Amino acid sequence: MVDLGKYAGTVLGAYGVTIVLLLGLVWVTLRKGARMRRRLEEQERRMGRHG
């Protein structure tokens, strides 16, 4: 592993926060995509388009 010296805590903390934020963004994106897909399918059913 790379020697980070006296900044190891700060650097590793920044990496940790970045990973958590990226995972949160992926989760929100997937959740919103699934919700939009359900809404689109419901709208298509209401309009009578089964294709």
Side-chain angles (χ1 to χ4, degrees), residues 32-51:
K32 188 171 184 178
R35 184 175 34 189
M36 289 296 121
R37 185 176 296 114
R38 284 192 303 270
R39 289 177 66 186
L40 177 60
E41 288 171 354
E42 178 61 32
Q43 182 66 28
E44 287 177 342
R45 262 195 304 278
R46 277 189 260 140
M47 295 183 71
R49 295 184 184 160
H50 302 284

Side-chain angles (χ1 to χ4, degrees), residues 4-49:
L4 300 174
K6 65 180 182 177
Y7 300 108
T10 303
V11 171
L12 294 176
Y15 276 124
V17 169
T18 301
I19 289 170
V20 167
L21 290 174
L22 285 173
L23 290 174
L25 284 171
V26 168
W27 181 74
V28 167
T29 301
L30 292 174
R31 197 177 93 189
K32 188 171 184 178
R35 184 175 34 189
M36 289 296 121
R37 185 176 296 114
R38 284 192 303 270
R39 289 177 66 186
L40 177 60
E41 288 171 354
E42 178 61 32
Q43 182 66 28
E44 287 177 342
R45 262 195 304 278
R46 277 189 260 140
M47 295 183 71
R49 295 184 184 160

